[in-house]
Amino acid sequence: VLIGTQLRPIWAGLDDGVRWQYSIIAGAVLVAVIVTRIVWMTFYIAVMRTRFVFYLYNSSRHTGAPSAKSSLLISWCGMRGIVTLATAFALPEGFPYRDLILLTAFGVVLGTLVIQGLTLRPLIAWLALEDGDPVGHEVGWARRAAFHAALEAIDGNTSPEAELLRLEYRQLLDQAESNPDGLISSELPADPLRRQAIGAARRALFEMRQSGEIGDDAFHRLEEELDWAELSAAS
C-alpha cells in the first residue's frame, strides 16, 4: 500500500516518453541484478570446488561443496531491492533523479518477486536436485572418528568393565564402518538383552513385594533404579 501510494503520483506525473525511458532503465537494472547474482554465485561455488582460496573452503570438513545446479537455484532465490527501496523513499523531495531511483528500486522488487518467484518451482523441477545429505555424511565420519577415539582411550585396560565397554564400541564401530553414511542403530548392541534382564528383575521385585519379603519403601527405591536403567537402555 505504501509503495503504491508513493509511486502512483510519480508515474502519473511523467509523460509517455519519460515513462518509456524509465521503464527501459528499470528493466536493465533488474536484468543486471539477476545476472550479477547468478555470476557471483557461480564464481563463488567454482572457487569453493577448486579450493583456489583456502579460507573460503575448509578442506578438513568432510562435506562436499555445493553443485552448479544448487548454485543456480540459490542465485535464483530471494527478493532483492527492499533496502534500496527503503533508502529511496528516504530521499528528500527534489533529489536528482529521485523518481527514477524509486521506480527502478520498485522494478527490482517487483521483478524478482514475480518473475523469480513464479518460476522457482519449475526451476527446481527442471534441475532435478537430490538431497546429498552433507550433514549426514559429516555426522557419519565424525561418529567413526569418535568411536575410534573411545576405543583408544580404554586400550590397554584389562578390567571386565573395560572389556564390556570395548565390545559395545567395537560393535557400534563395525555398524558405522559398514554403512557408507556412518549410520548406526539407535540402540546399543546389548540393549535388547539389557531390557530383557531388567524386565526379569522387575518381575522378581513385584513377587517379593506381594509375598511381603520387602516393604513399599524398598520396592519403590529399587523400582526407581530399574526405571533409570530401562530409560538408558531405551534411549
Side-chain angles (χ1 to χ4, degrees):
V1 176
L2 176 62
I3 295 175
T5 57
Q6 290 280 340
L7 294 180
R8 186 170 183 177
I10 295 176
W11 185 259
L14 301 175
D15 56 44
D16 293 339
V18 177
R19 287 179 182 176
W20 178 250
Q21 184 180 8
Y22 280 13
S23 298
I24 293 176
I25 295 175
V29 172
L30 172 61
V31 172
V33 169
I34 295 175
V35 172
T36 300
R37 182 174 174 85
I38 294 175
V39 171
W40 163 247
M41 288 304 303
T42 303
F43 171 75
Y44 177 72
I45 297 302
V47 170
M48 290 181 63
R49 295 186 66 85
T50 54
R51 306 180 186 182
F52 285 157
V53 184
F54 67 90
Y55 54 84
L56 287 180
Y57 187 85
N58 186 356
S59 59
S60 64
R61 296 284 297 275
H62 289 258
T63 54
S67 63
K69 290 183 178 181
S70 62
S71 67
L72 177 59
L73 180 62
I74 294 171
S75 64
W76 199 253
C77 294
M79 184 174 63
R80 287 165 291 280
I82 291 295
V83 176
T84 304
L85 187 59
T87 306
F89 277 133
L91 294 176
E93 294 290 342
F95 189 87
Y97 298 104
R98 181 178 184 273
D99 295 347
L100 174 60
I101 295 173
L102 281 171
L103 290 173
T104 302
F106 176 71
V108 172
V109 173
L110 183 63
T112 54
L113 177 63
V114 175
I115 298 175
Q116 293 180 266
L118 293 178
T119 57
L120 184 58
R121 184 172 182 177
L123 178 63
I124 295 175
W126 178 70
L127 292 175
L129 293 173
E130 297 180 357
D131 185 9
D133 193 16
V135 177
H137 288 294
E138 191 170 358
V139 168
W141 172 85
R143 179 180 285 122
R144 291 189 291 268
F147 288 155
H148 277 294
L151 288 172
E152 290 176 1
I154 59 176
D155 188 28
N157 190 329
T158 58
S159 65
E161 295 82 4
E163 289 297 329
L164 291 174
L165 190 60
R166 189 178 295 112
L167 178 61
E168 283 195 349
Y169 275 116
R170 281 176 178 169
Q171 291 177 332
L172 290 173
L173 182 60
D174 290 341
Q175 290 182 17
E177 290 182 339
S178 63
N179 192 303
D181 296 330
L183 299 178
I184 61 172
S185 174
S186 59
E187 62 181 12
L188 295 174
D191 280 348
L193 188 60
R194 185 177 289 112
R195 286 193 293 269
Q196 181 180 349
I198 292 173
R202 194 183 298 277
R203 289 190 296 272
L205 282 179
F206 276 112
E207 292 175 359
M208 286 186 286
R209 182 190 185 188
Q210 290 177 350
S211 64
E213 296 180 56
I214 59 174
D216 288 343
D217 292 338
F219 171 79
H220 289 307
R221 180 180 298 182
L222 292 170
E223 185 182 36
E224 182 181 1
E225 293 177 2
L226 292 178
D227 289 341
W228 284 111
E230 190 171 23
L231 284 174
S232 177
S235 61

